[in-house]
Every structure is written in C-alpha cells, then in structure tokens.
Amino acid sequence: MHLKIGKDLDLARRLIMDGELVAIPTETVYGLAANAFNEEAVARIFEVKKRPKFDPLIVHCAHLQAAAELAKEWPEPLQQLAEKFWPGPLTLVVEKQDKIPDLVTAGLPTVGLRVPAHPLTLDLLYILDVPLAAPSANPFTYVSPTTPFHVLQQLGDDIPYILDGEACTVGIESTIVRYNGKAIEILRLGGLSTESIAETVDCEVLVKSGENGQNVPGSFKKHYSNSKRIVLFENGELLPRAGKNEAILFFNKPANMPENSRWFYLTENNDTHVAAAQLFGKLRELDQPEIETIYIEKAPATGLGPAINERLGRAAHQ
Ligand code: TXA
Ligand code: MG
C-alpha cells in the first residue's frame, strides 16, 4: 500500500502506463491525468469528474516538438506564442492528428495542447512516452483545485495517486487560443494576460468571449461555484460591514481591516497575479457552514483581472 499523496515519479509513471488516473500539479491548477492514447483511461476521467462527454480535454506534452507532432498544422503565430510562453499557462487549439482519440477532443477535429510549467509534471512527461490528457481535477462545476489537499478532499477515494507539487503558482486555468488564419482568438481568458499575447504576435488578437464569458465547448454559466450565494460588487465600491452569516472578499486588502471580522482579501498590493493565485483557495475556504452569502469585489480590468472576473461571474451564477 502506498500513500495517496507523494512525489514518486516512478509510481506515477507506472500507474499512467497501467491505464490508471493520477492527479498532477501544474502551475495553473491540478489536473486529473490519463494516458491520452488510452481510451479506457480517458473515459474514466469523464466518469470520475462526472463531466459531460461533449467537453473536450487538454493534452499536456513535455515540450514544443512533442506538441507539434500531435497537430496537423502549426501556424506561425502559434509557434511564436509557444516559443515565448511554453512551458506556461497557454493552451493552443490546433487541428489534431488521428492518433489522438476522438473521446479526448469530444469528437472535434481540433485538440487543445499545452506544455505545463511545473518541474514535477514536466519530469513525469519526460519519462513517459505518451502525452497526458487532463482536465482540472475537480468534480464538474466545482472550483478547480490548487493544492494536493483540494484534490484529496474531493477525488481522493476515486484515484490511486496524487503527485504532490505543492500549491499552484498561477492559480487559474490556462488561456486558450486558436489562430483563425488572420487573427489570434482568445477562447478562454486565463493565466496568461491578453496584453502579453498581443505584445508577442504581429496579427490581431480578438477576445472571443461568448455569452458565458468563454467560447469553448463545455463552458457553462455555472462553474467555479462553491455552495454559497455569491454577490459581486465593483472594485473600489465600499460595502457596509458584513452581517451575520456573511463574508466579504475584497480584491485588495482594505486600509482599515477590522479584527476578527469576516473580511478577506486576495492581494495586499493590487497585484492581479497574486490575486489569481489566491482566488480558488479562498473560495474553498469560504465554503463553510456558518456562511450563507459572500460579497466579492471584482478585480481591476488589467493583467489577470479580466480572467478573475470571468470566473467570479460564473461563481456568482445561481
Ligand atoms: O490550466 C489548464 O488549462 C488546466 C490544467 C490542468 O492544464 N486544465 C483545464 O482543463 O482547465 P479543463 O478541462 O478544466 O478545461 C479545458 C477547457 C474546456 O472548457 C474545453 O472546452 C477547452 O478547454 N478545450 C479543450 N479542447 C478544446 C478544443 N479542441 N477546442 C476548443 N476548446 C477546447
Ligand atoms: Mg475545469
């Protein structure tokens, strides 16, 4: 019997090659990984997450070349982004090679590819000769996990092993983009800011947020939700003291934090990257029986602020 959480790469490799699931750390959130070429193992991901089969998975690769080998075409602007930001919080949607099972891509002709920036998971990908299909390691519609303990709490009974890479440094999921032949389209805002993408490519960059703030299959209005009533308020707008059974989550630490209050915050110096790294952990922390309503201050509109607000919007959806 081995421990559920650990840093044993050889065990993780053996489990993956035996068709088992392993939770893996990435810089964005923890993933629930299977051998992307093993359909039975991939089917188990959907089962454990209770995820609808029409929601495709991201395929994680050890390096750019391994990713490019899974694609039918590799447009120049995507190459520029991959060279600059991989390993990192960026997923590229490209036409897939036939060797990627249709189950992984929910029958789409395209696949989302990413080289994650986590040393342990990169080491695992290097010792495997297969890529890893992995969605975020949370039950469908719940907040994504950013520590191994979040995964243990929710999926611990269903999976044999959680690779312990400690807390995720980015804390929100990757930015998903595709190239439409003329422009880069951002399909999901995420851990890489729109500004960083625009600075890198010569073509136009379009934020294609759909009705739900995301333009990817399997994007639901309700997501990132804990079980509480969540009410958003504008950045800078002041709220009265939180009443009984209420909590306030400020974006930035307020100047006069009362002691022992139900006031919480995401950053002390208005840093959207720090706030992103704190966000999902705080939403879990505030998911307590005594709290009924959480007032949450929106992030400013720069850096990772829009990606944070997109997630808050859906966490607040009843
Ligand atoms: O940071 C991340 O992206 C994390 C870590 C584990 O890598 N993964 C993640 O996976 O957030 P998941 O399954 O929770 O979200 C993946 C999103 C889904 O909404 C899916 O619709 C979209 O990626 N996606 C996957 N393949 C796609 C494709 N071919 N075209 C458009 N969207 C795609
Ligand atoms: Mg997810």
Side-chain angles (χ1 to χ4, degrees):
M1 190 54 199
H2 56 75
L3 292 172
K4 267 271 149 111
I5 300 186
K7 295 178 192 281
D8 188 341
L9 281 173
D10 194 52
L11 173 63
R13 184 187 62 81
R14 270 185 288 129
L15 289 166
I16 291 287
M17 293 322 288
D18 285 347
E20 302 270 3
L21 305 188
V22 174
I24 54 164
T26 83
E27 78 283 29
T28 60
V29 300
Y30 272 72
L32 180 61
N35 173 355
F37 296 144
N38 179 335
E39 276 191 73
E40 258 174 62
V42 171
R44 183 96 183 102
I45 293 180
F46 287 91
E47 209 179 290
V48 166
K49 261 195 79 123
K50 304 191 171 59
R51 176 172 172 125
K53 291 267 171 48
F54 55 81
D55 192 358
L57 308 179
I58 292 173
V59 174
H60 299 72
C61 303
H63 44 74
L64 202 164
Q65 197 195 333
E69 277 169 16
L70 300 175
K72 270 201 181 138
E73 27 124 60
W74 200 253
E76 182 54 29
L78 296 186
Q79 171 71 15
Q80 285 173 344
L81 289 173
E83 276 176 15
K84 180 140 176 212
F85 297 115
W86 276 357
L90 171 70
T91 294
L92 304 179
V93 170
V94 290
E95 246 187 271
K96 79 174 184 82
Q97 290 283 356
D98 295 341
K99 60 187 163 192
I100 298 187
D102 289 334
L103 186 58
V104 170
T105 64
L108 293 173
T110 55
V111 60
L113 299 170
R114 171 162 122 78
V115 178
H118 193 291
L120 207 54
T121 290
L122 281 177
D123 283 349
L124 175 62
L125 285 163
Y126 269 91
I127 59 171
L128 284 167
D129 20 330
V130 297
L132 290 171
S136 51
N138 51 288
F140 181 59
T141 80
Y142 197 76
V143 182
S144 299
T146 51
T147 71
F149 302 103
H150 295 162
V151 183
L152 186 71
Q153 279 166 355
Q154 292 192 301
L155 302 180
D157 291 341
D158 300 317
I159 56 176
Y161 198 55
I162 300 166
L163 201 52
D164 179 4
E166 292 155 34
C168 302
T169 53
V170 173
I172 55 174
E173 301 85 347
S174 60
T175 300
I176 303 182
V177 309
R178 74 171 165 223
Y179 182 60
N180 68 9
K182 284 200 201 114
I184 291 287
E185 297 181 345
I186 298 185
L187 305 179
R188 175 175 78 179
L189 296 170
L192 182 64
S193 71
T194 304
E195 294 98 305
S196 305
I197 291 173
E199 278 165 15
T200 306
V201 291
D202 300 323
C203 62
E204 204 182 350
V205 176
L206 306 170
V207 179
K208 281 278 188 177
S209 54
E211 185 204 352
N212 306 339
Q214 294 190 9
N215 202 8
V216 289
S219 154
F220 300 89
K221 280 192 188 145
K222 179 178 159 71
H223 195 168
Y224 307 109
S225 56
N226 61 20
S227 54
K228 306 302 163 189
R229 176 171 162 256
I230 291 178
V231 179
L232 304 184
F233 64 102
E234 290 303 319
N235 187 240
E237 185 186 321
L238 262 190
L239 266 194
R241 205 186 146 83
K244 201 166 169 280
N245 305 119
E246 295 182 341
I248 306 183
L249 177 57
F250 290 93
F251 176 75
N252 199 53
K253 184 178 181 183
N256 46 358
M257 281 275 291
E259 285 212 22
N260 302 320
S261 68
R262 289 190 190 273
W263 286 23
F264 303 85
Y265 57 88
L266 296 174
T267 165
E268 288 189 49
N269 49 1
N270 270 304
D271 187 327
T272 60
H273 287 82
V274 172
Q278 295 297 320
L279 179 67
F280 290 156
K282 276 284 183 264
L283 289 179
R284 276 174 194 263
E285 190 185 319
L286 294 176
D287 200 352
Q288 331 165 343
E290 317 84 84
I291 297 179
E292 283 165 13
T293 302
I294 312 168
Y295 295 95
I296 307 183
E297 183 181 29
K298 289 193 198 166
T302 53
L304 299 188
I308 293 172
N309 288 338
E310 186 275 325
R311 283 149 181 84
L312 289 179
R314 287 194 295 149
H317 192 85
Q318 299 294 315

